[in-house]
Amino acid sequence: MNDSQRQDWDPRAESVLEDQITAYDSMRRRCPVAYSDYLQWSLFRHEDVMRVLLDHETFSNAASHHLSVPNAMDPPEHTHFRQLIEPYFLPEAMAAFEPHCREIAKRVVARLPQTGEIEAMAELGQNFALEIQCAYMGWPESLHEPLRDWVERQQAATLAGDRQALGELALEFDSVIRDLLAERRTAGEAAPDDVTSCIMNETVQGRPLADEEIVSIIRNWTVGELGTIAASVGILVRYLAEHSTLQARLRGEPELLPTAIDEILRLDAPLISNRRVTRQPVEIGGRQIPAGERLTILWGSANRDEAVFGDPDELRLDRDPQTNLLYGAGIHVCPGAPLARMELRLIMEALLAGTLHLALIADKPAVRARFPAGGYSSVPIRVTR
């Protein structure tokens, strides 16, 4: 049996799926570059992940079977699309959207009960993610519930490994986007001046974007945002409900929220993994990996590496932010990081300002999400207002 056939671990084992973070901590110490038939080569160490992120000549992002703009592209094609996308997340764009974002955050918090139990993933995280993403893209409120239903069906199909259902759901989502594009084209000059319309009118290398490219960009922004923002809110709320001292400090010093949010999400990853493909034979962590092999970057492990962070569970507000891989690194660093950071800051500001205390419920523990999702599927907490 050669190196690429040996099963070092089973990512689908129940013990792994029940608590991914603990399982990854163990693998990082025992077998930091591990092979499985499910994920192929999984990278657990910060050092190895950084090497992959910074060397796009050896490690390709073109790991998808479908068009994915610009996520699954390499330079020079990736560069052209990044230049198109990045202006949407510049400080000026964020400043223009911030007042609307703040109002949505306040409305979501205001709908919580005055006092009592809530399920933070559904009532806070998912509601906020749906409403904020539709607002950012310029989509009508009538899409909130259809999108919620689509997300639930997509998550169920992902957990079941139902490839046929996932393919049908992808086509269904793309048809929603195409309908939005068609409405704007029919409206002509009366079309709304929003992010969706702006993307439709972009050019790359002097040509208009093809519909497939427009749909791919919007799909990546929306699907990624709905999942990771909701997961992030669930992680943050649960952590603060468990750590009352930090909760009280952030209520009194909300200016610490940006640093605290990034650090909490370092401890507990909302996005578990990404993929790469080797362009050539390479050695990583003493393992010989052929060309054309799939690598699985495990953010949920790399961001807890003791070699970089010491005690991975220690929350520190004085860490070097450059070591935190929450939004990646290198040329593929998440372009939407400024938007995500602003959204998370504003929802947590609204939650802390609109409540007196958040607490865990002893007989209703949070339920961990299962791969490929990060964070929690359910976060019951008690709210006092």
Side-chain angles (χ1 to χ4, degrees), residues 10-20 23 368-371:
D10 181 4
R12 290 170 289 187
E14 193 63 25
S15 59
V16 175
L17 295 176
E18 284 182 350
D19 190 346
Q20 297 177 80
R368 281 274 180 193
R370 295 162 77 91
F371 188 88

Side-chain angles (χ1 to χ4, degrees), residues 60-80:
S60 170
N61 236 53
S64 174
H65 297 299
H66 309 286
L67 179 66
S68 182
V69 182
N71 306 37
M73 291 178 168
D74 295 316
E77 187 178 32
H78 170 266
T79 306
H80 300 313

Side-chain angles (χ1 to χ4, degrees), residues 22 29 120 188 263 268 301:
T22 298
R29 298 157 189 152
E263 177 69 350
D268 200 345
S301 174

Side-chain angles (χ1 to χ4, degrees), residues 224-268:
E225 183 86 350
L226 293 177
T228 55
I229 290 297
S232 295
V233 171
I235 292 166
L236 294 167
V237 171
R238 189 209 155 278
Y239 192 91
L240 293 185
E242 182 181 20
H243 297 85
S244 57
T245 301
L246 177 64
Q247 182 186 152
R249 183 179 182 188
L250 293 177
R251 289 181 187 280
E253 301 177 77
E255 67 274 10
L256 296 178
L257 270 171
T259 303
I261 288 169
D262 276 13
E263 177 69 350
I264 292 169
L265 297 180
R266 176 195 66 77
L267 298 173
D268 200 345

Side-chain angles (χ1 to χ4, degrees), residues 45 49 85 97 112 131 157 163 181 206 213 236 243 316 324 368:
R45 291 189 303 203
V49 168
I85 286 170
F97 184 55
L112 299 177
E131 294 181 31
R163 292 184 177 275
L181 302 185
E213 293 165 335
L236 294 167
H243 297 85
R316 287 177 45 187
N324 190 337
R368 281 274 180 193

Side-chain angles (χ1 to χ4, degrees), residues 21-32:
I21 300 300
T22 298
Y24 298 164
D25 284 350
S26 175
M27 284 299 298
R28 186 173 60 253
R29 298 157 189 152
R30 180 174 71 83
C31 186

Side-chain angles (χ1 to χ4, degrees), residues 19 24 52 69 84 102-104 112 172 184 210 242 250 267 274 286 288 302 319-321 335 375:
D19 190 346
Y24 298 164
V52 170
V69 182
L84 179 158
R102 179 176 284 105
E103 287 306 310
I104 292 171
L112 299 177
E172 179 183 331
R184 283 162 168 73
E242 182 181 20
L250 293 177
L267 298 173
N274 274 138
Q288 299 295 329
R319 292 192 191 275
D320 177 1

